[in-house]
Amino acid sequence: MVRNIRSTKRSIFIFAVIMGLFGFTNPGMTQLSLVSSTPSDGETNVGTVATFTFTFSEALDTTARFEEGPDFLPFLALELYPDSAGTPENIIISVDLKTITLVNMPLITDTRFFLFLSGARSSAGEGLDRPYAITFTTGNSLPTATVSGTINYTGGDASGTAIALFEQAPFSDEGDGIVAGGVVPIGSGNLGNSTTLGTGSFTINYVPAGEYLVLAFKDVNMDGELELINDPFGGYDSNSDKVADFITVGDGATISNIDIDINIIQTATAGENSATSETLAKTQAADAVLTAVFGGDLSPNGDGLAPIWNYLYYSANEDSLFSVVSFGDLFFLDPFVFGDDGDDGLQSIFNTPLPDNWIDSDLAADSAWANGGSEFVSSNPDLEISVGLFNLPLSDPGMLKNSRNWRSNSQYKDPNYLNYFKKASADTDTVAVWFFSFYSDSTNQFFGIGVDALTGATIDFGQGTGPVFPTTAIDNLDAANQAALNWASDAVLLQIGNGDDVGPEGLAFVWGFSYYSVAKDSIRAFFMVSGIVTDEESVSKNQMPSLEALPGNFCNSTEATPLAEQNSDNFRNIHAGTFVRAILSRGQLPGDSAVAVWKISYFSPVDFASLELFIDAETCNIVTDVEENSDITGIPSKYNLEQNYPNPFNPETIISYQIPQSGQTKLIIYNQLGQVMRILVDDVKSAGQYKILWNGLDQNGNQVANGVYFYRLDSNVFTQTRKMVLMR
């Protein structure tokens, strides 16, 4: 649940809003139920390496997929708080498909866990009859406080509504984990004294002392997901002022009368909720001024309506930012979540008030749809549409196009968007801009368009208006070559690689070009987006497979990648969540390091399946006689720590490394202050190739903050460090 609640549609600047919350199947309409579980609800002294079992009343459909499901168990919508320290060693499915066993799940010592099972499908297509809440601990006792109340649903039976206690607003960057939860039991909901009001009582047990928001969700259309437009939602609002209120729970307390109204979430324009957001902002800081507005799940029909709006405010007295979020007609205050953090420098970026007379999102949408948005919507299915209103510094008007992607999938995000604003923030000459972002997952197409927030006219950002699409490697070659020659007149091209996931047609949003200068005896990498240099960095020579220049007539990514697809045995579609990387250089082909090849690497973080294919860069023929030497069989010839993948990432990333001889091996995550955040590996490892997943948790199981992290491999005489970016 946290993963999806935190999976916000972040704009290229901060975040827009929540994209999804945990969802639940409709009670009373199906018969699939959870018969028993281990650990059971209320169990204590659970081992720190535990076996989980879930037994259902009917055979499960193991081909079902839930966005809420863990990567290792995608056919169940199952979430654990705090997240487990790792993944099970083995998963056993009974012959009758009724019992799932997770063998040796690592858990944190002396910790209370809350598990929510919210979705499953039987082999007959039936959904889970209700959500299931299970609390257990690796300690010797559980808290005894309870929270109870009533759910009022204007629209039907309240049975099966899920209630959760949050430490902070569910989109906050600080402590937003679900602490405890409960469910309105089946049969306890009723239609009351009318045909439109359904009520049901709930009780949440094992609640620790603290302050919590109480939120309720109900999936009415039996699809296993909460849809912001179609499903009811609500939160505890004691004084009916439309602001979600915290409750205070003491040790062993009995808190009652927590009554919540849930209703279908209503969409609105940005302007319709701005006045209420400002009133709430002034209670947080009297000098608060509105500096940006972001919206997600924008309606595809061009009316400028969204179920959620995020209003970003700046306080000069506090020199800090905070946000007010409207979730339907319920508002949340996210107090000073960004703080005075010199790393991101957001205060210096978003400290300029928006003009008072900015046009509303509906009028801006009219312009965006009339100038390309409508055409994109009509030709691309499965759209994700988000929008942001902000002041754009005019000192670098091209940067908006460079920072091109607002997708919730972080692997496509430009990690350097803040650099653009930092460079331009000293220029006070700005224009208020609405920027609309369209993305189709089915076609992997992106379209972005800006609208002047005062006039409604579309904006030429200096790089040409129109859609920003993924590009081929060669599309960016001329601009990369020019940047390299500006760096060093003797620069030669060593390597090209996609900075994100390359599509089956050989297109990617980001391409990296690495050059070597003999005179400087150093390597420089340039990262390209649509023919624009978005970032550059120095690269260690030992990270390059070869220092020999690429041939001048290499085949393009649109030739190499489709050829790999034809020879991949449908890997991309068979293995869930597959990432594909395409790297062109010499030194990659086992047995013949002089040949320049495209190495197309497939990897699934779900089942850890992988595949590597090699395409001769000069003939564009697949290499079928690859020597099965140490690099192929798993015994590498040299040490190597690879770039994590994806990067940036959210919430998980894969780190690969190779060691040619056995020995004590450490792989450690550090923050920018050099503090140890997570020890991923500290063991004697045999020679081989390894992959490990980092889920963004620190050593104590807490979610780390957004930002830059370093990971370091120490093995025998070898040490190498790389950096990565976590961006939610």
Side-chain angles (χ1 to χ4, degrees):
M1 289 180 287
V2 153
R3 177 171 58 222
N4 291 318
I5 290 172
R6 292 185 70 100
S7 178
T8 59
K9 273 202 172 185
R10 294 181 182 247
S11 73
I12 55 179
F13 313 106
I14 313 177
F15 59 85
V17 287
I18 299 173
M19 282 304 302
L21 299 158
F22 57 88
F24 313 106
T25 53
N26 194 20
M29 297 298 291
T30 64
Q31 298 183 12
L32 177 64
S33 61
L34 180 67
V35 175
S36 64
S37 70
T38 304
S40 59
D41 189 38
E43 186 171 345
T44 60
N45 296 308
V46 175
T48 53
V49 179
T51 295
F52 285 53
T53 63
F54 303 95
T55 299
F56 294 86
S57 61
E58 298 180 38
L60 292 179
D61 175 7
T62 57
T63 67
R65 292 293 182 265
F66 292 88
E67 291 186 4
E68 296 80 8
D71 289 339
F72 59 83
L73 204 66
F75 55 87
L76 294 181
L78 183 70
E79 299 288 343
L80 185 66
Y81 305 95
D83 195 2
S84 167
T87 56
E89 291 183 2
N90 194 18
I91 299 173
I92 301 172
I93 303 175
S94 63
V95 176
D96 62 3
L97 302 180
K98 291 184 177 181
T99 299
I100 309 299
T101 303
L102 309 181
V103 180
N104 291 342
M105 282 281 290
L107 300 173
I108 305 168
T109 186
D110 198 22
T111 300
R112 181 186 61 86
F113 288 89
F114 172 61
L115 185 150
F116 229 106
L117 173 65
S118 57
R121 289 286 182 272
S122 73
S123 57
E126 298 170 336
L128 196 62
D129 61 344
R130 65 178 179 89
Y132 290 83
I134 301 168
T135 302
F136 62 92
T137 181
T138 52
N140 55 21
S141 65
L142 285 166
T144 58
T146 63
V147 174
S148 62
T150 301
I151 299 298
N152 303 299
Y153 174 34
T154 305
D157 186 358
S159 293
T161 300
I163 307 94
L165 303 184
F166 288 81
E167 291 179 309
Q168 293 288 342
F171 31 77
S172 170
D173 280 350
E174 296 183 353
D176 65 347
I178 294 178
V179 172
V183 180
V184 175
I186 292 177
S188 67
N190 59 75
L191 296 181
N193 298 322
S194 73
T195 59
T196 59
L197 180 63
T199 61
S201 300
F202 69 89
T203 298
I204 301 175
N205 298 311
Y206 315 117
V207 180
E211 293 189 347
Y212 309 110
L213 289 171
V214 189
L215 307 180
F217 318 85
K218 180 179 173 63
D219 179 11
V220 297
N221 58 2
M222 301 174 60
D223 64 355
E225 297 180 11
L226 180 67
E227 299 177 357
L228 299 183
I229 306 292
N230 300 316
D231 292 331
F233 160 82
Y236 179 60
D237 178 10
S238 60
N239 56 1
S240 301
D241 63 352
K242 295 187 176 183
V243 179
D245 295 324
F246 281 86
I247 64 170
T248 301
V249 179
D251 287 326
T254 300
I255 308 297
S256 58
N257 300 319
I258 304 300
D259 300 328
I260 300 174
D261 295 327
I262 61 173
N263 294 287
I264 301 296
I265 297 172
Q266 300 298 311
T267 58
T269 67
E272 287 173 332
N273 286 334
S274 62
T276 303
S277 79
E278 182 176 359
T279 299
L280 182 55
K282 296 293 186 181
T283 67
Q284 174 66 26
D287 67 331
V289 292
L290 182 65
T291 61
V293 181
F294 302 107
D297 263 5
L298 203 67
S299 170
N301 61 12
D303 54 16
L305 299 175
I308 304 179
W309 290 99
N310 183 331
Y311 302 87
L312 187 65
Y313 288 88
Y314 175 72
S315 166
N317 291 337
E318 299 287 345
D319 189 25
S320 189
L321 295 162
F322 64 97
S323 62
V324 175
V325 179
S326 65
F327 199 156
D329 59 359
L330 188 66
F331 287 76
F332 297 87
L333 176 65
D334 205 0
F336 295 94
V337 296
F338 300 106
D340 185 10
D341 109 20
D343 177 45
D344 282 350
L346 291 170
Q347 291 81 354
S348 64
I349 298 169
F350 290 105
N351 59 7
T352 304
L354 289 171
D356 293 333
N357 55 337
W358 51 269
I359 64 173
D360 204 352
S361 56
D362 53 349
L363 295 178
D366 289 343
S367 182
W369 261 254
N371 289 276
S374 180
E375 180 180 355
F376 187 88
V377 168
S378 64
S379 58
N380 290 278
D382 305 320
L383 284 171
E384 298 175 5
I385 307 175
S386 56
V387 65
L389 168 62
F390 45 85
N391 289 303
L392 175 67
L394 292 178
S395 58
D396 187 1
M399 68 187 177
L400 184 60
K401 182 175 179 179
N402 301 347
S403 304
R404 76 276 171 233
N405 195 358
W406 297 13
R407 289 187 58 195
S408 59
N409 186 344
S410 67
Q411 63 179 315
Y412 288 99
K413 290 182 178 177
D414 179 0
N416 304 294
Y417 61 85
L418 288 178
N419 291 335
Y420 290 109
F421 278 95
K422 287 176 182 177
K423 293 173 183 176
S425 59
D427 191 338
T428 58
D429 187 11
T430 63
V431 59
V433 174
W434 279 105
F435 189 80
F436 292 84
S437 167
F438 303 76
Y439 179 77
S440 170
D441 188 60
S442 296
T443 63
N444 199 33
Q445 298 292 296
F446 172 80
F447 174 75
I449 187 169
V451 176
D452 190 305
L454 294 179
T455 68
T458 55
I459 297 176
D460 184 344
F461 296 111
Q463 301 292 337
T465 57
V468 180
F469 293 109
T471 57
T472 75
I474 290 181
D475 288 340
N476 299 274
L477 181 59
D478 289 344
N481 284 341
Q482 185 59 54
L485 291 175
N486 292 339
W487 165 68
S489 60
D490 66 335
V492 294
L493 180 61
L494 301 183
Q495 186 181 74
I496 302 175
N498 64 289
D500 46 39
D501 190 24
V502 66
E505 70 290 337
L507 302 177
F509 280 106
V510 183
W511 290 95
F513 293 75
S514 298
Y515 295 83
Y516 177 61
S517 165
V518 174
K520 294 177 178 289
D521 191 26
S522 61
I523 295 173
R524 194 76 170 170
F526 299 88
F527 299 94
M528 313 296 297
V529 178
S530 298
I532 304 296
V533 178
T534 62
D535 192 23
E536 56 184 276
E537 64 179 29
S538 297
V539 178
S540 172
K541 287 195 293 184
N542 65 14
Q543 296 180 25
M544 286 290 110
S546 172
L547 293 182
E548 185 176 353
L550 287 173
N553 58 339
F554 59 84
C555 62
N556 200 359
S557 56
T558 47
E559 298 172 272
T561 308
L563 183 58
E565 292 288 310
Q566 296 170 19
N567 291 271
S568 69
D569 294 327
N570 205 27
F571 188 101
R572 191 189 294 264
N573 296 321
I574 292 175
H575 299 281
T578 293
F579 297 117
V580 182
R581 297 191 74 179
I583 298 178
L584 168 62
S585 78
R586 302 185 193 272
Q588 297 189 104
L589 183 64
D592 195 345
S593 61
V595 177
V597 295
W598 280 100
K599 182 172 75 172
I600 314 297
S601 303
Y602 296 78
F603 178 71
S604 167
V606 177
D607 57 15
F608 281 78
S610 61
L611 173 68
E612 287 185 353
L613 296 171
F614 298 89
I615 312 296
D616 189 303
E618 293 186 85
T619 66
C620 210
N621 294 325
I622 192 161
V623 181
T624 58
D625 57 346
V626 177
E627 179 182 327
E628 292 194 5
N629 66 2
S630 60
D631 289 329
I632 299 300
T633 60
I635 308 300
S637 58
K638 63 180 181 180
Y639 291 97
N640 187 39
L641 176 63
E642 296 184 11
Q643 185 65 51
N644 65 300
Y645 194 70
N647 186 45
F649 66 98
N650 172 30
E652 299 172 337
T653 190
I654 301 295
I655 299 173
S656 301
Y657 63 96
Q658 297 87 42
I659 54 175
Q661 57 181 318
S662 62
Q664 183 68 33
T665 301
K666 293 183 179 181
L667 181 60
I668 301 176
I669 309 292
Y670 299 89
N671 64 15
Q672 290 182 288
L673 299 178
Q675 299 168 321
V676 174
M677 304 304 292
R678 182 73 175 271
I679 301 175
L680 294 176
V681 179
D682 187 3
D683 200 0
V684 176
K685 292 289 187 181
S686 301
Q689 304 185 45
Y690 296 91
K691 296 180 187 291
I692 189 167
L693 181 144
W694 184 41
N695 55 10
L697 301 183
D698 65 16
Q699 203 65 10
N700 296 317
N702 300 316
Q703 189 75 53
V704 302
N706 288 348
V708 175
Y709 293 88
F710 299 91
Y711 57 105
R712 176 174 172 173
L713 176 68
D714 287 295
S715 184
N716 296 325
V717 296
F718 178 81
T719 297
Q720 187 174 347
T721 302
R722 287 182 178 271
K723 70 177 180 180
M724 55 186 166
V725 178
L726 171 60
M727 185 184 297
R728 299 185 190 89

